[in-house]
Amino acid sequence: MGEQSAGAGRTGAERTAGALLVAQLEALGVPRVYGVPGESYLEVLDALHDSPIDMVVCRQEGGAGFMALAEARLTGRPGVVAVTRGPGAANAAIAVHTAWQDATPMILLVGLVPVADRDRESFQEFSLGGWFGTTAKRVITLDRPERAAEQVAEAFAVATAGRPGPVVIGLPEDVLTAKTSAPVVPARAFSGGAVSAPQAEELEVLLGRAERPLVIVGGTGWTADAAAAVTAWCERRRFPVVADWRCQDMVDHDSPAYAGWFGYGSDPGLLDALDRADLLLFVGGQYGDVLSGGYTRGNPDAPTVVVSADPDLRAHQRRVDLHLLATPAAFAGALPEGPAAEPGWWEGLRAAREKFATPGAPVRSEYVDLDVATAALAERMTPDAIVAHGAGQHAIWAQRFLPRHSFPSLLAPRNGAMGYGLPAAVAASLVHPGRQVVCVAGDGCFLMNGQELATAAAYGATPLVVIADNSGYGTIRQHQQRHHPGRPSGTALVNPDFGALARSFGLHGERLSRTDDVPAALDRALAAVAGGRAAMLHLDVDPEILQPRGV
């Protein structure tokens, strides 16, 4: 956390609106701003020069936005990203969409053309509201310098309240240079909601009637203590817990209550459990598309309880018998105690999960066996390791075979955005320099933002990056095999030697084509990480194998 700079809270002394904005970020405890510089917000950049806030200079605005999202996921505070006008804002749009669909708090600062140049098709001009009005919780334009601090505080409050999400603040170039004597303002406090005694009693009545209750954890509003408390409660009551897609770190995978995760690549048997459950308790998350097999699964007669601070339950698409307007953290302090359920229901789900999470036996081939390689990686990961990955078939191995034991420890885009993994891993290493950070990437996903290796090298980030190279966009090829067998089209890729690319940045890098070479290579890579260098392992994998084998 950055300390407030001298005079940050002063009243009466004039400074530019850009300097006031930075002082407000300091007052809100922002440790880092990720971004790509632009002449449209020079006053902000100048104020950051003397600020305790670190300006992390990235190589593309999409990568900067993903880093801000990763910081938000790890800390619960809005991540902040700064970009310039049209081209910069366009590149950052992918992060805004990810923040919207993932319900992650983020502040996007966008430099704009001077006020006098508006609506004249001036250089790099665009419509801030037109671009972001449907994918942000609020779009704000700073038109009065004295409101800079107030509107930043407002943006932080909006981004974190209810269902979190992105807020976009437009910063006209000439407004940023205008002088003001306005002070910084206090952070806006907001409640995480609460569970009343009558509501807890109503929940207990519903739980008492259920023979096959299913607890589904996901969404936002979690803390490490809340995750541990909800898991322990489920253990005491023998309630099986299933994580929503890419929310697997909300329950310790060693817990006897953990039954697996919903979503792409998960155990198909879990959808049968969703159909059989006679009570669904959603904590933090909601019934949505990916979880439910396209809104097709789930017992329609099962009472549904939703714990969410979102009063609108925007993403929930089924019945609601009880809505507890509270964050998971608030819910964790009001868990109703009662008798334990019969053991057969959760024991059966746990046994199926343990089988599904077991990698397949080695298969000899000319490629690296990804089941075996992922198992070797899992053996070397620390209990609090942070795993980051983007979108693609490679992510299924990470989701299935890399167990999670602490919260927060998973960074993955729930909207399926490619290119997320490497920037997220860089940010994770900056936020938690003492923790092991592992990025699992596909060849297509990695090169969406592979340039952020330069950011890792520049700022001393030390993730271990493992790239599964199948020379193609594997997810799309899998769909083609299903719908147009024998007719691959538009999915082949030609790749560099990623190990050599890493070495060109002064990082540790190797390329592997034999499964037997993986364990020793992992040891060398982790030794490099321990010595202060990021490391990359480029694994050549069979392009015909698009799913884990398992057992």
Side-chain angles (χ1 to χ4, degrees), residues 442-443 446-447 450 453 465-469 471 493-513 535-540:
D443 50 325
F446 175 80
L447 273 184
L453 273 182
V465 183
V466 180
I467 299 179
D469 178 5
S471 300
L493 296 174
V494 175
N495 295 311
D497 182 327
F498 292 113
L501 178 64
R503 293 193 299 274
S504 74
F505 284 104
L507 310 178
H508 178 87
E510 299 184 43
R511 184 170 189 171
L512 308 170
S513 297
M536 179 177 292
L537 297 182
H538 177 171
L539 310 183
D540 290 312

Side-chain angles (χ1 to χ4, degrees), residues 46-314:
D46 183 70
L48 286 168
H49 181 275
D50 298 320
S51 172
I53 296 174
D54 291 329
M55 176 65 182
V56 180
V57 181
C58 304
R59 307 307 289 266
Q60 206 260 13
E61 292 86 355
F66 284 151
M67 290 186 200
L69 290 180
E71 175 146 330
R73 178 72 165 74
L74 290 170
T75 66
R77 300 186 304 261
V80 181
V81 57
V83 304
T84 196
R85 300 173 292 215
N91 285 339
I94 188 172
V96 176
H97 181 262
T98 306
W100 177 261
Q101 288 221 312
D102 288 19
T104 304
M106 184 183 79
I107 306 297
L108 175 65
L109 304 174
V110 184
L112 299 179
V113 300
V115 173
D117 293 349
R118 275 186 197 160
D119 303 320
R120 304 175 73 176
E121 198 61 31
S122 55
F123 180 62
Q124 295 185 342
E125 185 184 10
F126 72 104
S127 170
L128 191 73
W131 282 21
F132 296 111
T134 60
T135 52
K137 292 188 71 176
R138 190 168 299 177
V139 178
I140 299 169
T141 299
L142 177 65
D143 279 335
R144 294 169 54 188
E146 68 272 16
R147 297 196 65 196
E150 169 196 339
Q151 290 188 313
V152 168
E154 175 187 353
F156 270 67
V158 171
T160 53
R163 183 178 188 267
V167 175
V168 179
I169 307 178
L171 307 174
E173 183 178 342
D174 52 345
V175 176
L176 288 175
T177 62
K179 294 291 186 69
T180 177
S181 58
V184 298
V185 301
R188 293 190 186 181
F190 71 96
S191 170
V195 179
S196 67
Q199 288 176 324
E201 292 174 4
E202 186 176 356
L203 172 59
E204 185 54 40
V205 169
L206 292 170
L207 291 169
R209 294 173 182 163
E211 295 180 354
R212 295 179 302 280
L214 197 61
V215 178
I216 302 166
V217 294
T220 59
W222 290 87
T223 64
D225 288 343
V230 171
T231 299
W233 177 67
C234 290
E235 291 173 355
R236 290 194 301 272
R237 305 205 55 180
R238 290 201 291 255
F239 295 158
V241 185
V242 182
D244 199 355
W245 193 49
R246 296 184 169 172
C247 295
Q248 292 99 311
D249 57 344
M250 293 171 184
V251 55
D252 189 332
H253 292 195
D254 285 343
S255 169
Y258 180 56
W261 48 277
F262 286 121
Y264 302 130
S266 63
D267 184 352
L270 273 180
L271 288 176
D272 295 334
L274 194 64
D275 290 339
R276 294 177 56 211
D278 58 6
L279 174 72
L280 298 178
L281 171 56
F282 290 88
V283 183
Q286 300 170 26
Y287 178 94
D289 174 20
V290 178
L291 176 149
S292 62
Y295 307 111
T296 62
R297 306 296 292 270
N299 178 4
D301 297 323
T304 303
V305 180
V306 182
V307 179
S308 173
D310 178 14
D312 299 324
L313 292 184
R314 178 185 176 94

